[in-house]
Amino acid sequence: MTASVAWSDVEVGTELPALTVTLQRVNLVMYAGASGDFNPIHWNERFARAVGLPDVVAHGMLTMATAGRVVTDWVGDPGALVEYGVRFTRPVVVPDDDHGAEVQVTGVVADKRDDGTVRVDLTATFQGQTVLGKAQAVVRLA
């Protein structure tokens, strides 16, 4: 699989299609099983509140992976991702209801490099607040 976006078609400032993902408790349980991270702050409301959290929170790595989908969906090839890093700034609180927590993610090309890669700056928000800081991905385009 190769990237479906041509480097020559991209400019600094190109906006990637936005993504909204709803995280529900079942997603946290599934992620815990896949990752092996069974920290009770991700599934036990009583424990989460006892340690000072408002409720159960999503795994940071799940939030990071969710945000990264903006880049991999855009480029069409997860293998084109060269680098990806974030800082976790705020937790995503996932209520025990039928709605869950909506995370909105946007991305913009911030740097176009001569080696055929671009740096994409991502913004991930939950309830209007940024949940990832310095979220940046470098991707190799076609």
Side-chain angles (χ1 to χ4, degrees), residues 17-24 27-28 58 62-73 92-95 99-106 123-127 131:
L19 175 70
T20 298
V21 175
T22 301
L23 297 175
Q24 296 185 317
N27 302 113
L28 305 187
L62 175 58
T63 304
M64 177 183 179
T66 298
R69 282 186 42 205
V70 166
V71 177
T72 57
D73 287 356
V92 174
V93 179
V94 181
H99 306 291
E102 279 194 355
V103 178
Q104 290 85 31
V105 187
T106 60
T123 301
T125 59
F126 167 66
Q127 295 182 331
V131 294

Side-chain angles (χ1 to χ4, degrees), residues 41-94:
I41 65 171
H42 303 303
W43 54 270
N44 184 319
E45 183 176 322
R46 180 175 37 85
F47 184 87
R49 291 181 190 274
V51 297
L53 294 168
D55 204 335
V56 167
V57 297
H59 302 74
M61 295 299 285
L62 175 58
T63 304
M64 177 183 179
T66 298
R69 282 186 42 205
V70 166
V71 177
T72 57
D73 287 356
W74 173 63
V75 75
D77 177 10
L81 188 64
V82 176
E83 295 176 26
Y84 182 40
V86 306
R87 293 184 182 154
F88 303 112
T89 57
R90 287 187 181 83
V92 174
V93 179
V94 181

